[in-house]
């Protein structure tokens, strides 16, 4: 996926929030200085390479120089944040532009950002960072509590360490772009070359599997607790006492050799109800990104329906493979879970959490 321009709803990016800029621009000269000023910003922190000027170059474009002049005339304090080892070049650039610099610990350490705040006697809220790298400029600024603007890197080669950062950046940006709220210009960065993980459905499936893992842990923990851990006042296992009662009151439970085992279906049902509810919560808000309370009850009912049919499919496949095809227990169990996972994903994606088509494109 190519670089995309817009602003971000940072509440939506969850665990990737530290990497999330306030907004993106194709170039630093597109950053609206009047708007920054209106938002109470008075200190602009600047990355150098591929933000102000190409890597190793000292030829500033007239547009960048004009933008910097305007910033100064509007009364902004400007400060270059750099951890370059080419100190001489940095000194020349700094003198040429008439802009101070802060050098120090490698970004994304927040140290240099804090140093700049001290140097200019500013609060974090008064500063803004502009840079072309998520993993250094944006992450570092966020860690120091400073808003960051992510600009598209200039054309041209990059330092080998930067190229490595770009790979991680590519991965992280896939999650961050989900929170892009005001796409302004997609340019020619169409669907061509869309990476597998960037596809919404693949990302949804990965999230679905993660949620499934958490539900499995919950399911197992509850069953283990109810079956083998929770004891009553007199030291009896809960499962023993409840199972005894069940067997005394219904012949239905005589299938089991022991009271503990008679209680197993009850533990199973309770655990699966809670685990399925866990899947509902996380798949709704995180995997399928559904906002608001609309249709929540209907979605919950549909999800339970899908899940219990999935459970049936799982049991059926596992049983047939194990008892009729005579495959091993592990292979049979795995195959059942595998098919059921696809059933559940499709059922949630296209039925339970199906969102009504909106009129906008
Ligand atoms: Mg840079």
């Amino acid at each position: 996926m190519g670089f995309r321009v817009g602003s971000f709803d940072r509440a939506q990016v969850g665990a990737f929030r530290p990497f999330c800029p306030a907004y993106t621009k194709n170039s630093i000269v597109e950053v609206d200085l009047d708007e920054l000023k209106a938002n109470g910003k008075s200190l602009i922190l600047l990355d150098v390479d591929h933000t102000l000027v190409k890597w190793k170059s000292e030829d500033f474009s007239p547009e960048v120089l004009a933008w910097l002049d305007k910033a100064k005339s509007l009364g902004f304090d400007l400060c270059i944040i750099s951890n370059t080892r080419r100190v001489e070049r940095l000194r020349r650039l700094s003198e040429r532009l008439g802009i101070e610099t802060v050098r120090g610990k490698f970004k994304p350490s927040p140290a240099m950002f804090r140093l700049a705040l001290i140097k200019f006697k500013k609060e974090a809220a008064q500063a803004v960072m502009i840079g072309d790298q998520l993993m250094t400029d944006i992450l570092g600024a966020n860690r120091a509590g400073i808003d960051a603007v992510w600009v598209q890197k200039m054309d041209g080669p990059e330092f080998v360490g930067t190229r490595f950062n770009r790979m991680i950046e590519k991965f992280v940006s896939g999650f961050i772009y989900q929170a892009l709220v005001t796409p302004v210009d997609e340019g020619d960065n169409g669907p061509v070359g869309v990476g597998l993980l960037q596809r919404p459905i693949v990302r949804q499936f990965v999230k679905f599997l993660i949620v499934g893992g958490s539900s499995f842990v919950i399911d197992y923990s509850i069953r283990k607790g109810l079956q083998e851990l929770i004891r009553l006042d007199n030291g009896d296992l809960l499962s023993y006492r409840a199972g005894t009662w069940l067997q005394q009151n219904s012949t239905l439970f005589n299938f089991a050799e022991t009271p503990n085992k008679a209680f197993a279906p009850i533990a199973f049902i309770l655990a699966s109800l809670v685990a399925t509810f866990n899947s509902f919560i996380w798949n709704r808000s995180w995997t399928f990104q559904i906002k608001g309370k609309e249709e929540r009850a209907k979605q919950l009912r549909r999800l339970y329906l899908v899940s219990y049919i999935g459970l049936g499919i799982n049991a059926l496949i596992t049983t047939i493979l194990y008892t009729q095809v005579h495959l091993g227990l592990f292979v049979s169990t795995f195959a059942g879970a595998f098919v059921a996972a696809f059933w559940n994903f499709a059922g949630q994606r296209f039925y339970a959490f199906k969102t009504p088509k909106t009129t906008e494109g």
Side-chain angles (χ1 to χ4, degrees), residues 260-271:
N260 304 63
K261 286 186 179 170
F263 181 68
I266 307 295
F268 168 81
I269 289 168
L270 289 174

Side-chain angles (χ1 to χ4, degrees), residues 55-317:
W55 183 49
K56 286 185 172 175
S57 165
E58 298 182 25
D59 292 326
F60 293 96
S61 76
E63 291 82 9
V64 167
L65 293 173
W67 185 91
L68 290 170
D69 281 341
K70 185 181 176 192
K72 286 180 198 167
S73 71
L74 284 170
F76 282 102
D77 285 319
L78 300 172
C79 181
I80 290 172
I81 301 273
S82 172
N83 43 36
T84 183
R85 274 172 298 177
R86 300 159 57 98
V87 189
E88 275 306 299
R89 169 174 171 260
L90 183 63
R91 195 183 51 75
R92 285 195 301 275
L93 296 178
S94 161
E95 275 177 13
R96 163 95 195 278
L97 298 174
I99 296 178
E100 305 227 30
T101 60
V102 165
R103 259 187 88 242
K105 262 189 161 179
F106 275 86
K107 292 181 264 187
S109 161
M112 280 194 295
F113 297 87
R114 294 195 180 124
L115 223 58
L117 293 179
I118 293 166
K119 183 169 176 149
F120 287 91
K121 300 190 172 66
K122 302 283 184 187
E123 300 291 319
Q126 297 173 288
V128 62
M129 170 71 191
I130 303 176
D132 68 298
Q133 282 196 65
L134 276 190
M135 308 313 296
T136 56
D137 304 318
I138 311 304
L139 178 58
N142 280 336
R143 291 182 67 195
I146 295 170
D147 284 338
V149 179
W150 185 26
V151 295
Q152 183 168 24
K153 82 169 267 291
M154 295 175 168
D155 290 332
E158 291 189 297
F159 173 62
V160 56
T162 305
R163 291 210 302 271
F164 176 74
N165 277 341
R166 293 285 182 206
M167 295 194 302
I168 309 172
E169 179 178 288
K170 191 123 187 113
F171 175 77
V172 170
S173 66
F175 291 91
I176 286 172
Y177 278 135
Q178 288 193 330
L180 193 73
V181 281
T182 53
V184 177
D185 176 20
E186 298 257 320
D188 52 4
N189 302 321
V192 181
V194 171
L196 193 63
L197 202 68
Q198 254 77 43
R199 289 195 199 160
I201 196 161
V202 176
R203 258 203 320 259
Q204 283 175 350
F205 190 65
V206 172
K207 287 179 170 183
F208 171 83
L209 292 179
I210 294 169
V211 171
S214 77
S215 293
F216 173 80
V217 172
I218 289 172
D219 189 6
Y220 178 76
S221 307
I222 292 177
R223 276 208 245 176
K224 178 91 179 167
L226 289 175
Q227 204 70 50
E228 298 175 11
L229 299 178
I230 299 177
R231 286 177 187 278
L232 301 171
D233 295 343
N234 63 352
D236 278 355
L237 276 171
L238 169 76
S239 59
Y240 176 79
R241 184 88 74 80
T244 306
W245 186 86
L246 288 169
Q247 289 191 321
Q248 282 166 358
N249 287 280
S250 169
T251 51
L252 208 64
F253 291 91
N254 290 338
F255 71 90
E257 303 149 24
T258 65
N260 304 63
K261 286 186 179 170
F263 181 68
I266 307 295
F268 168 81
I269 289 168
L270 289 174
S272 76
L273 280 171
V274 178
T276 305
F277 191 68
N278 174 70
S279 294
F280 174 76
I281 301 278
W282 290 101
N283 281 334
R284 187 174 194 271
S285 66
W286 187 53
T287 310
F288 299 113
Q289 307 267 321
I290 295 173
K291 312 264 172 285
K293 294 176 178 176
E294 213 184 326
E295 302 214 308
R296 200 167 53 174
K298 184 166 139 195
Q299 290 163 350
L300 181 62
R301 281 198 305 273
R302 288 180 163 191
L303 183 122
Y304 272 106
L305 179 66
V306 168
S307 299
Y308 285 112
I309 293 174
L311 218 54
I313 292 174
N314 190 345
L316 190 69
I317 291 176

